[in-house]
Amino acid sequence: MDERQQSAINTAVSDRTARPLSGSVLTFNLPQEISALRGEVEYRKGHNARTLIKHSEFRVVLVALKAGASVTERDIGERVAVQPACGHLRLQLGDEVVNIHPDQLVALDRNQSYRIEAVEDSAFLMWVGWSKD
């Protein structure tokens, strides 16, 4: 890995407090992370997100959504897993709708278009594969 790639992995992507995005051990206090997201201006618009982990083969993003807000992805080209931390989410895959709660995990194969809507104020972890093909 060259210096530019290493810098991209270890550098924060916003004006938030810089912290490592990769390493042999990373720990997170999810309630604190969610609270911080909800305290930022972006959340007032409906949603906010922060990359927690950024490795060469996958990313983990924490997303906070206000009730009624949604995120839509079209043919992302990578495998995705959605794990709610709190709240109630509705995942729409074409005509299929899946309600997901904090005790559930949903995994999607590549090239799936989906929409995630918060039925109530919610937060979830999104695991995104990062392949090179």
Side-chain angles (χ1 to χ4, degrees), residues 30-31 34 38 43 62-69 82-91 98-105 116-125:
L30 291 180
I34 293 166
R38 289 178 173 163
Y43 183 72
L62 178 62
V63 181
L65 289 175
K66 288 180 126 181
V82 176
Q83 180 180 13
C86 62
H88 174 188
L89 300 169
R90 186 172 293 130
L91 175 67
V98 178
N99 287 290
I100 50 179
H101 301 275
D103 58 347
Q104 297 174 303
L105 174 68
I116 300 171
E117 178 185 0
V119 176
E120 58 190 53
D121 289 352
S122 303
F124 61 94
L125 292 169

Side-chain angles (χ1 to χ4, degrees), residues 35-88:
S35 180
L37 285 176
R38 289 178 173 163
E40 293 179 349
V41 172
E42 292 82 0
Y43 183 72
R44 293 185 203 131
K45 298 174 188 172
H47 77 278
N48 197 6
R50 182 171 192 172
T51 300
L52 299 179
I53 303 169
K54 187 176 181 182
H55 285 296
S56 60
E57 62 279 355
F58 74 95
R59 310 289 194 262
V60 178
V61 179
L62 178 62
V63 181
L65 289 175
K66 288 180 126 181
S70 65
V71 292
T72 302
E73 291 291 339
R74 290 183 172 72
D75 299 329
I76 192 169
E78 298 292 344
R79 290 182 174 94
V80 174
V82 176
Q83 180 180 13
C86 62
H88 174 188

